[in-house]
Every structure is written in structure tokens, then in C-alpha cells.
Amino acid sequence: MTVYVRSLETAVPGTKLVQSEARDVFAAQPGLTRLGSRLVNTCFDGAAIETRFTAVQELTNTSRSENPQFYDQETGLLLNPSTKVRNDIFASEATKLFVEAARAALRAAPELDLLDITHLVTVSCTGFFNPGPDYKLVRELGLNPAVQRYHLGFMGCYAAFPALRAAKLFCEADPNAVVLVVCAELCSLHVRTSNDPDTIMGSALFADGAAAAVVTARQGAEENALMKLDHFETVLTPVGEDSMAWNIGDNGFEMILGNYVPHIIDDHIVGALEPLLETEPELAALPYTAIPHWAIHPGGRSILDKVQSRLGLSDVQLVPAREILRNYGNMSSATVLFVLKHILEQPLQEGPAGDERICSMAFGPGLTVETGLFTKLRQATGGQEDKAAEGDLTVFQSRTAAEAPVA
């Protein structure tokens, strides 16, 4: 049975962060050691990021707060709110992103009715609340209250793959199923100033965003589908359990992102791809460059560099991942869906649509490597995130005599 992605849409908050100006704010914080200050500049400048988005509206120049929680504009200090404060904001702001992305995906499949949705899979690792985002989506969108709901929590950057794989399994088990998958992450809620290298790296990389897909195998779905979900595989590398982790602290969630992670990926990426490509022996016999599209989760610039070098991919094949990293940063689980959408929005190549294969992968705690093999069927229309990117909200502006920079 062939399972299709009918629509794939994205959403970001309205507050844009400019990387170079964010760097200056973090580098100016008191308490940084000489090494810490040097790491801030190195991490922010070397991240290959120009802009990111955040749900923390307090960080805009147009927003003023009598009791700031994340940034005090009068003193220029980055603050350190408790995990409860951060999670309370997650509960309200993540819901908005979940709903926005889901509505966009449903609008992009106008032949489907809201009551056609039989399964709902939500994904996030940056906060918790219950009734959770799955419940909120049912209420806000007007889905059938009896829709089967599933939430994948705290899995990290690779979680979009288990969500899509679950959707594929639901559709294979029930040919009438229509599955709505929604990932939303507010990584910026957990940013803080520190001399710790992992914390500094997280502050330089992570951002907020959401993506949603409608998945189905219903008869006639292929007429408007964007791509086929062909195969999924999961691999745990033999090393790396201590190099990438995601823990809950008293002042937010704490990322462990060791600088050895790119080397682990470099050593094990070929082995991680083998189970996926072996599902199609004729594809496994070809060089990696024969697969035209590579949707790689941009966990960071050095990770993309290692993947490209080890697999011998061209600069063109890395454009989608690098452009998403440059314009949006690392949005955890939602990011690889942004990359896939970028690929789907490119014009179809010469020849049969079935030739447009996509190999996709994401990395997360463990170290876990999730991979997927897809087939692009047609060109998607423009994205919702472009509208947000064109907004006039400006943050991290330079200090003037009238007002301090924001962070």
C-alpha cells in the first residue's frame, strides 16, 4: 500500500532574531570568563545562521514589560527564569504554533473535511502540559472528538521521523485513515547566558518553529499528493550516549551537545544509511549522489559539513539544509520538515516524477540516527514561513542612545 504526504506546511513566531546582534548581547553579559566570551563569539559566528525566530515576545523592541522574565532592556541583562516560568510560556505559545501549522496543512488539502482526520500525532520536546497539544488541536480546529490522539514527547531533533512512520503504519492498517502530524518546538525558551560550552552552543543554534503534514493512503490521494513515504529506519550509533542529551534543570531544559558529535556522525553515517538503502537494492548499488535530494536535519554547520564530505554530496544537494539553517536555525523536531518542504517547493526535474527520490535523516540523543526514503511527486506552493520572515518585527537591534539592544 502506498502512503502519501498530501500537504506539508510550516509556521514560525513573529519575533525575528538577528544572529550577529544576538551574539553581541550574549557576549556583553557580566560573569562571562575570557574563555566564555571567546566561545560566544566563535559559536555564534561559526553557526552559519543569519536569522532565527522566537516565541518570547518580550524580546521585541516594541514590547515593554514591567516585570521582565527573560531580558531586562533597561540594564541589558539576560535573565534566568525558572523551569516553571518557561514551561508556562510554552503551554500558551506552543499551542498557537501547533494550531497555525495544522490549519495551514489542512487548508492545503481542501478536498478533505475536518472530520476526515482519523488520527492526530503531535510532537514536542521543549515543554509539557496536559491536556496537551493533541487535545488543544482537537478543540481549536474542531476535529472529531473521537480522533485517535498520540503525543511524542522529549525525543529531540529526530522525532518527526517516528511521527511520520506512525502515520504510515496507521494508514497501512486502515486504508481510510487520514493522519495529521504536527511538530512544534520553542527551543528559545531554554536559552540562557553561561560559560558552559554546551549551553553557549545551544544559545547560538536553537530557535522556534512548527510544521504539519497530512498523511493518507486513501483512494485517489495520489492525484494531489506531494510525496510518497517509502521506507523508514532507525539506527543507534555504538558511541555517543553521553555526547548528545536533553535534560530538565531548575532553570529550563539543558542541552548536552558535545563537540565530538560531528565526528561520531562522520564515523557512522554510512552504516546508518545501509539499512535504509538496502530496502531498495538497486538504489543501494548507486553512489549517494545518484539520489537527487537530501533532506538532512541541520543540527549545526559542522554536522552538515561532515555528512556532505563523508557521502560526497554536491553543494547543490546541501542547499535545502543549509538555507533552512541560515534562515531559521535549529528548530529541533520541526526542522527536517522545513527542509523537506524546501525540496518539495523546487520545480520538478526532467524525466518521470518517480525518479525524484529524497533521502532524509535526522540526529538526536543517544546518539540516534533516523532515516527516511521518499519520492517527490509534484511541486508544492510557497510556504507560510515566508510570510512571517517578511514581517516588520525587528529584534536584537543595535544599541542607541534611546534604547538598549534586545536579546
Side-chain angles (χ1 to χ4, degrees):
M1 178 182 295
T2 304
V3 180
Y4 300 94
V5 171
R6 170 61 186 89
S7 64
L8 175 58
E9 297 294 335
T10 57
V12 293
T15 302
K16 182 187 289 187
L17 310 180
V18 177
Q19 183 79 346
S20 60
E21 294 163 358
R23 173 205 62 210
D24 294 343
V25 171
F26 275 83
Q29 295 305 301
L32 282 180
T33 63
R34 183 176 300 177
L35 175 60
S37 180
R38 192 159 58 240
L39 284 173
V40 167
N41 286 282
T42 298
C43 291
F44 276 76
D45 290 343
I49 295 171
E50 293 181 3
T51 56
R52 294 177 282 167
F53 292 84
T54 176
V56 184
Q57 298 178 4
E58 181 180 295
L59 303 182
T60 65
N61 281 327
T62 57
S63 176
R64 292 293 183 269
S65 175
E66 294 182 359
N67 299 298
Q69 296 174 313
F70 285 82
Y71 181 77
D72 187 335
Q73 295 189 22
E74 292 186 2
T75 64
L77 293 178
L78 289 167
L79 307 178
N80 195 19
S82 68
T83 300
K84 181 183 186 308
V85 168
R86 299 175 195 262
N87 197 67
D88 286 347
I89 295 175
F90 175 86
S92 62
E93 298 302 318
T95 297
K96 298 175 185 177
L97 271 189
F98 272 108
V99 171
E100 182 180 351
R103 279 184 173 150
L106 293 169
R107 283 197 302 267
E111 75 279 8
L112 296 173
D113 186 87
L114 287 175
L115 297 181
D116 286 327
I117 303 300
T118 59
H119 299 71
L120 173 62
V121 182
T122 55
V123 179
S124 190
C125 70
T126 46
F128 300 94
F129 61 95
N130 203 0
D134 52 320
Y135 173 92
K136 296 290 187 180
L137 282 170
V138 171
R139 293 301 194 196
E140 293 286 340
L141 299 177
L143 301 181
N144 185 342
V147 66
Q148 295 186 38
R149 303 175 357 237
Y150 304 87
H151 180 70
L152 302 182
F154 221 65
M155 297 184 78
C157 294
Y158 63 80
F161 284 90
L164 290 175
R165 183 169 56 237
K168 184 173 186 288
L169 291 171
F170 293 147
C171 292
E172 290 171 341
D174 177 5
N176 197 48
V178 179
V179 187
L180 176 61
V181 175
V182 194
C183 302
E185 305 285 8
L186 302 190
C187 305
S188 70
L189 288 178
H190 305 291
V191 166
R192 65 179 66 80
T193 182
S194 173
N195 286 297
D196 175 68
D198 289 342
T199 304
I200 292 172
M201 181 60 73
S203 299
L205 285 175
F206 286 103
D208 303 348
V214 174
V215 179
T216 186
R218 280 188 174 185
Q219 185 175 2
E222 67 277 6
E223 295 179 6
N224 297 307
L226 299 178
M227 69 178 185
K228 294 191 297 183
L229 298 179
D230 299 321
H231 309 286
F232 291 95
E233 293 291 340
T234 302
V235 170
L236 299 181
T237 61
V239 295
E241 183 174 345
D242 298 328
S243 297
M244 187 184 292
W246 190 224
N247 301 311
I248 298 177
D250 292 336
N251 296 96
F253 298 174
E254 300 169 351
M255 166 59 72
I256 297 174
L257 188 61
N259 57 14
Y260 195 63
V261 168
H263 300 284
I264 297 172
I265 292 173
D266 187 31
D267 290 341
H268 298 285
I269 188 63
V270 170
L273 280 172
E274 285 179 356
L276 180 74
L277 298 180
E278 284 174 355
T279 62
E280 297 190 27
E282 68 281 5
L283 201 60
L286 298 175
Y288 297 117
T289 52
I291 301 174
H293 304 295
W294 287 80
I296 302 166
H297 168 69
R301 179 193 55 78
S302 58
I303 289 177
L304 294 180
D305 290 346
K306 290 294 186 182
V307 171
Q308 180 176 6
S309 175
R310 175 61 68 181
L311 301 183
L313 302 178
S314 69
D315 290 343
V316 171
Q317 288 171 308
L318 267 290
V319 164
R322 294 194 189 279
E323 286 199 356
I324 293 303
L325 180 65
R326 181 174 66 250
N327 296 324
Y328 299 98
N330 184 343
M331 300 166 285
S332 192
S333 69
T335 320
V336 74
L337 298 180
F338 275 68
V339 179
L340 280 167
K341 188 169 190 294
H342 185 289
I343 291 171
L344 293 172
E345 289 174 351
Q346 304 311 306
L348 289 170
Q349 298 178 357
E350 297 280 337
D355 291 340
E356 291 217 37
R357 304 306 297 277
I358 305 171
C359 188
S360 187
M361 65 184 73
F363 319 96
L367 198 142
T368 301
V369 183
E370 289 278 354
T371 58
L373 193 60
F374 315 127
T375 302
K376 178 178 174 179
L377 299 177
R378 69 181 179 88
Q379 183 179 354
T381 57
Q384 294 293 317
E385 72 275 7
D386 294 334
K387 298 177 182 178
E390 294 169 358
D392 58 3
L393 287 174
T394 303
V395 300
F396 284 120
Q397 294 181 354
S398 300
R399 182 185 298 271
T400 67
E403 67 185 31
V406 295

